[in-house]
Amino acid sequence: MNLSNLENYKSHILEYGFTVINGIFSKEEIEQITSILLHTDTSKENFRKSEDLFAVRQFLKEVPEIKSVVFNENIKRIIKDIFGGKYFVVKSIYFDKPETSNWYVAYHQDLTISVDNKTDLPGFGPWTTKQNQFAVQPPLNILENIYTIRIHLDDTDENNGALKVIPKSHRKGIYRPETIDWTVEAEEICNVEKGGIMIMKPLTLHGSNRTTNGKRRRVIHIEFSDIELPETLQWSEKMNR
């Protein structure tokens, strides 16, 4: 993969809120990631299992041996050239949408960050707590600063839950899905090849449909920021690469 000029991808993200770059992981690297996942103990509380979805919260903490494969030279280059040299990991999740999944996700923005405790700070709220994990909606500038990388371990299209997005919606602040004006907005499906990535701004309205083609969809979702939170608060998954 020739990543000599990432400016086009960067400008596409800034204007439209997302981009797709295929060929970031080799077949061998995807096999390596899959092998590590196969041999992971899934009995811990951060592992969620149902017929429609298998998910791992705090993925890079729970499966630390995967980091060296996930942060290959291509990903490091993308983080440095598109995001910026000071960006670090702030959140990671693994999703496995099985072949028969009826799981679908309605249009939404990613409005919360994961933090280490609950504390009263101006501009932060509302708060949620799940399994001793704290999430909060931060001030808008923090959300606008985040980049998300979604690494695809399977070919993904509209028939097995590829993300659908509303281009440019990331530039409209908090945009409630029930207020989407379809006379002015257009939907775009983000097909991604196995070994490819989608990069997205979390304020981009996005959702996904049920699986209809009997094909699996596995995704590693990692969020990055270069903002330090107020002193009394820390990113719960802060991790320098």
Side-chain angles (χ1 to χ4, degrees), residues 7-105:
E7 278 302 314
N8 291 341
Y9 293 110
K10 183 173 183 174
S11 58
H12 195 277
I13 297 164
L14 294 177
E15 182 169 357
Y16 297 100
F18 68 97
T19 195
V20 172
I21 315 177
N22 286 311
I24 296 301
F25 291 86
S26 66
K27 185 167 176 274
E28 292 72 27
E29 286 170 326
I30 294 297
E31 285 171 359
Q32 211 177 336
I33 290 170
T34 303
S35 174
I36 292 169
L37 288 166
L38 272 176
H39 296 95
T40 298
D41 173 13
T42 61
S43 64
K44 304 173 194 171
E45 66 174 358
N46 277 339
F47 290 66
R48 169 185 172 183
K49 283 173 276 196
S50 73
E51 283 183 16
D52 286 325
L53 186 72
F54 171 62
V56 184
R57 294 177 185 279
Q58 300 207 10
F59 177 62
L60 296 176
K61 280 188 177 180
E62 294 287 1
V63 191
E65 61 271 30
I66 216 152
K67 284 191 289 187
S68 60
V69 197
V70 164
F71 292 105
N72 67 5
E73 290 308 311
N74 286 339
I75 289 290
K76 287 178 184 173
R77 179 76 183 272
I78 284 163
I79 294 166
K80 179 174 170 287
D81 288 8
I82 295 182
F83 306 172
K86 295 181 179 176
Y87 270 74
F88 47 83
V89 173
V90 296
K91 188 175 191 176
S92 60
I93 312 170
Y94 169 69
F95 299 102
D96 180 351
K97 198 171 180 180
E99 296 87 339
T100 56
S101 177
N102 276 322
W103 182 271
Y104 80 98
V105 180

Side-chain angles (χ1 to χ4, degrees), residues 113 115 119-127 136-139 141-142 228-230 233:
I113 60 172
V115 293
T119 185
D120 192 18
L121 283 170
F124 285 79
W127 290 80
V136 64
Q137 184 170 323
N141 70 300
I142 293 176
E228 296 294 345
L229 298 176
L233 208 57

Side-chain angles (χ1 to χ4, degrees), residues 34 37-38 54 94-101 152-157 159-162 192 194 211-219:
T34 303
L37 288 166
L38 272 176
F54 171 62
Y94 169 69
F95 299 102
D96 180 351
K97 198 171 180 180
E99 296 87 339
T100 56
S101 177
H152 283 251
L153 307 183
D154 304 286
D155 289 323
T156 309
D157 61 22
N159 300 310
N160 67 330
V192 187
K194 180 177 183 172
T211 299
T212 57
N213 63 358
K215 291 185 178 174
R216 191 174 186 182
R217 187 201 73 175
R218 293 166 297 170
V219 172

